[in-house]
Amino acid sequence: MTVDADGARRSLAKQLELIYRDAAPVLFDRVCALLDDAAAARSPELKAIDRARRAQPGWVSQSGETVYTFYVDRFAGTLEGVIGKLDYLDGLGVRWLHPLPLLETRPGDSDGGFAVANYRAVEPALGDIATLERLAAEMRARGMGLMLDIVCNHTAREHDWAERARRGDPKYRAYYHVLGSEAVDAYSATLIDVFPDTAPGSFTYDAQMDGWVWTTFYPFQWDLNYANPDVFYEMLDVLLFLANKGAQGFRLDSAPFLWKRLGTTCRNQPEAYTIVAAFRAALDIAAPSVVLLTEAIENPADVIPFFGNDSTVGCDLAYNNGVMTALWAGLADQDAGIIRTMLTAAAKRPDRGAWLNYVRCHDDLIWNALADYASPDDLARWSAFYDGGGFSAGRRFQTAPGGVPSTNGMAASLVGLGRADVDQDLALARLRALYGVIFALDGWPMIYMGDEIALENDQDYTSDPARRDEGRWLQRPQMDWHRMDANEAGRTSAGEAHRALRGYAEAALKLNDLITPGPAEPLDLANDAVLGFVRGKGQVLLCACNLSPTVQSFQRPAKHDRTCRDVLSGRQFPAGAMSLEPHEIFWLVFD
């Protein structure tokens, strides 16, 4: 994951020169002074973690680094409440907590917390920085890590930088993109709207700024101008501040949008990759144990460069969005073809990086992310299937012109739990199968809050005036602790899901002693209804998952057609054909 401090300084200088050219030497000196101060202020406990992880450079590739992601208020009310739930999370097998944005936001609509007004304060309703530090310390004592969401592409319009810009301060005006009408028209010709229904366009006129402010997402979210060296410096200072408060990881929100270039979509520009690499190099100097997760919900070919290249270390983790989306597509079709395609694309990541594997998250399921790998008819079919069709209780979401609607919904609802016309045993089996796959893949598995108790859609969000116009609140329910307490021991969907995910987390840790690290590579098991992949170099795991609601047989390739054991059940199997019950999954290891 990390490089030595001298190597990191050389890498940092190189990345800054690539971005800032003639301004790089002055910025480098300023950044190095900032890093020296941050390193000196770092606590002995955090320095000990730095040393331990630097001594084990391949630790990111370990199995079983289970992540749990949630909104603090929806999960436990406050940060104090989260501290009170650490026993629960520990028992689930969680190693990392990834709360969604918890820093202070603008009043009113904040896009679910993604409109940050102060990077150095916690949203007052959730707690304060002192409580955040205590949460991080309590987690460290349990061997757990805290990963914070850093909205690095934009600030709230109410952030101090933006307020100063609106008051006419030229220094802070340069923190943002402010354009005239002709430039807006020129850029808009190639941009793709993110929220074409609720926030069309990418620019918002502001009279105090006497121009159009770049607002990729919502009008109250002002894109930062990373062509300004001061912006890089400020955001790095934020990362270092929070790292020294105990954060062991950062999710870099909307990283593909960090650089603007006329005539392009202004996504995944070379400078965006370089900025992430520069953050990584800087942290390797002052806080080398901190991991960086890039949030890039894009084509895998556009995501993989965020990991870096042969000469440059980039992020440590990135969302395995292509495989996630393909899993839902393959489940709808009962055909592993698209999943095999996306596994092949994902396997091109560098060895030092790792995928964050997930089934659902707080955002929509974007079918257009598979546009380079599947036909328009395929995309349309999958979109319609999960828009309340098939077994699903999902709902369509907005899309840019020419695309197909995305899908909203909790995983439990998307697999059919709660629908009277759907076999509930099969629906639960589908949920177990999806999570069984992501825990078996190379990388870090992530549980979305509530999936471990098969929590269904929040059907009441439309009755809340503050949420009813944002369809993604469908998959942002309140955690149902009564459902957890009442059903954990019973044979209910909540209890069965909890036992399954807890078992996967425990089994994934065992894989560290059973297989060697390596990317997941698809296998042809002579039955398209059965997803197969092998993971590891040398000692391997062979995963086989039945995507069908009927019993399916499969044949292992000759290389793997020998006695094996299922890690999940402990059952032994001889060479020869094997069969899977509906939506059953095997994790096979070999003597």
Side-chain angles (χ1 to χ4, degrees):
M1 177 192 110
T2 58
V3 297
D4 65 88
D6 289 340
R9 286 184 188 272
R10 290 191 296 270
S11 178
L12 176 60
K14 175 185 174 183
Q15 307 315 315
L16 296 181
E17 183 178 353
L18 288 171
I19 305 168
Y20 298 112
R21 308 296 180 181
D22 293 344
V26 172
L27 177 61
F28 178 74
D29 288 343
R30 292 178 62 207
V31 166
C32 285
L34 179 67
L35 295 172
D36 290 343
D37 289 345
R42 199 153 167 78
S43 72
E45 294 82 3
L46 294 174
K47 287 181 178 179
I49 298 174
D50 291 339
R51 289 192 296 271
R53 290 186 180 156
R54 194 184 284 281
Q56 192 182 7
W59 75 272
V60 170
S61 298
Q62 290 180 337
S63 296
E65 295 289 329
T66 302
V67 181
Y68 190 89
T69 187
F70 59 99
Y71 278 106
V72 171
D73 58 335
R74 314 297 285 173
F75 177 67
T78 64
L79 289 175
E80 196 69 47
V82 175
I83 293 173
K85 297 299 184 183
L86 289 180
D87 283 345
Y88 167 78
L89 294 161
D90 208 353
L92 185 58
V94 172
R95 304 291 291 273
W96 290 81
L97 289 193
H98 166 32
L100 289 155
L102 53 75
L103 300 178
E104 186 175 354
T105 65
R106 69 187 298 270
D109 185 3
S110 65
D111 185 25
F114 287 93
V116 176
N118 187 349
Y119 290 104
R120 296 172 185 269
V122 170
E123 177 64 19
L126 304 179
D128 54 28
I129 285 291
T131 311
L132 183 68
E133 281 191 275
R134 189 155 61 84
L135 170 61
E138 294 271 3
M139 291 176 62
R140 285 198 303 274
R142 297 168 179 264
M144 301 166 72
L146 176 65
M147 181 180 294
L148 295 182
D149 211 313
I150 301 300
V151 185
C152 54
N153 176 70
H154 48 266
T155 72
R157 183 174 55 209
E158 291 76 10
H159 192 285
D160 180 61
W161 302 337
E163 293 284 5
R164 292 188 184 202
R166 298 177 93 187
R167 291 197 296 268
D169 189 327
K171 174 182 176 180
Y172 291 98
R173 181 184 177 89
Y175 279 32
Y176 300 96
H177 300 271
V178 187
L179 285 69
S181 297
E182 289 186 6
V184 166
D185 291 342
Y187 275 103
S188 297
T190 53
L191 296 179
I192 302 171
D193 284 2
V194 176
F195 299 127
D197 295 346
T198 54
S202 298
F203 301 92
T204 301
Y205 186 78
D206 188 277
Q208 288 180 267
M209 299 290 279
D210 190 26
W212 294 83
V213 179
W214 202 307
T215 54
T216 294
F217 296 94
Y218 283 98
F220 51 77
Q221 292 166 306
W222 287 17
D223 284 35
L224 288 163
N225 178 13
Y226 276 87
N228 180 350
D230 287 342
V231 170
F232 177 86
Y233 179 93
E234 293 271 20
M235 195 56 64
L236 176 60
D237 196 16
V238 167
L239 297 179
L240 295 169
F241 169 78
L242 293 170
N244 278 357
K245 296 299 181 184
Q248 294 186 41
F250 297 113
R251 172 189 181 271
L252 301 178
D253 178 68
S254 302
F257 298 87
L258 294 180
W259 197 266
K260 320 302 185 186
R261 176 167 282 113
L262 188 64
T264 74
T265 62
C266 295
R267 300 187 187 189
N268 309 303
Q269 296 301 300
E271 292 86 352
Y273 303 128
T274 306
I275 289 166
V276 171
F279 283 146
R280 176 67 272 165
L283 289 169
D284 276 336
I285 297 166
S289 62
V290 171
V291 295
L292 288 182
L293 164 64
T294 294
E295 191 256 349
I297 311 305
E298 305 279 337
N299 183 313
D302 292 323
V303 176
I304 287 175
F306 279 109
F307 286 115
N309 52 43
D310 291 342
S311 61
T312 301
V313 177
C315 68
D316 309 285
L317 298 157
Y319 284 84
N320 201 354
N321 175 69
V323 170
M324 180 277 295
T325 310
L327 283 171
W328 288 104
L331 194 62
D333 287 351
Q334 302 174 35
D335 189 312
I338 184 61
I339 309 173
R340 289 196 296 264
T341 297
M342 300 316 297
L343 285 173
T344 298
K348 295 176 182 177
R349 64 153 180 84
D351 287 342
R352 65 166 171 268
W355 290 114
L356 185 74
N357 300 303
Y358 63 119
V359 170
R360 282 300 290 117
C361 70
H362 66 289
D363 272 335
D364 47 314
L365 204 168
I366 303 172
W367 301 108
N368 295 324
L370 299 181
D372 287 352
Y373 303 90
S375 71
D377 287 344
D378 288 336
L379 302 180
R381 183 177 70 257
W382 298 327
S383 175
F385 185 96
Y386 286 102
D387 181 23
F391 48 68
S392 170
R395 296 182 191 170
R396 65 189 288 145
F397 192 51
Q398 56 191 300
T399 187
V404 302
S406 299
T407 298
N408 284 325
M410 290 290 287
S413 295
L414 294 183
V415 298
L417 283 167
R419 278 189 57 164
D421 58 342
V422 171
D423 185 308
Q424 295 298 282
D425 288 337
L426 285 175
L428 183 60
R430 285 190 284 268
L431 182 64
R432 286 196 302 256
L434 290 168
Y435 267 97
V437 170
I438 66 123
F439 271 89
L441 287 169
D442 59 299
W444 294 18
M446 185 174 78
I447 299 170
Y448 182 57
M449 184 208 82
D451 282 358
E452 78 277 17
I453 56 169
L455 194 59
E456 296 165 19
N457 289 342
D458 180 0
Q459 303 290 357
D460 298 327
Y461 82 93
T462 55
S463 63
D464 181 353
R467 297 187 294 143
R468 63 188 178 198
D469 295 327
E470 172 53 80
R472 291 174 296 172
W473 282 106
L474 188 68
Q475 61 259 14
R476 301 172 184 178
Q478 197 78 31
M479 183 63 170
D480 189 342
W481 290 105
H482 175 73
R483 177 184 176 92
M484 180 67 254
D485 295 340
N487 294 305
E488 183 176 7
R491 294 193 64 81
T492 62
S493 59
E496 292 290 330
H498 192 272
R499 275 187 289 276
L501 270 62
R502 184 175 58 205
Y504 293 146
E506 293 171 353
L509 285 172
K510 294 177 184 176
L511 293 179
N512 289 312
D513 296 324
L514 298 174
I515 67 171
T516 52
E521 299 179 351
L523 292 176
D524 183 354
L525 299 180
N527 182 342
D528 284 338
V530 179
L531 168 66
F533 61 85
V534 64
R535 174 189 153 205
K537 298 177 180 179
Q539 294 172 296
V540 301
L541 168 74
L542 192 158
C543 180
C545 179
N546 185 359
L547 303 174
S548 161
T550 61
V551 176
Q552 296 289 328
S553 297
F554 68 95
Q555 180 65 54
R556 287 167 284 165
K559 181 180 179 180
H560 304 293
D561 192 14
R562 61 187 192 276
T563 301
C564 59
R565 174 174 63 87
D566 177 26
V567 175
L568 298 176
S569 66
R571 294 163 58 193
Q572 298 279 345
F573 296 96
M578 300 179 67
S579 64
L580 288 160
E581 294 298 311
H583 302 303
E584 188 176 15
I585 187 169
F586 291 154
W587 291 10
L588 304 176
V589 294
F590 302 86
D591 296 332

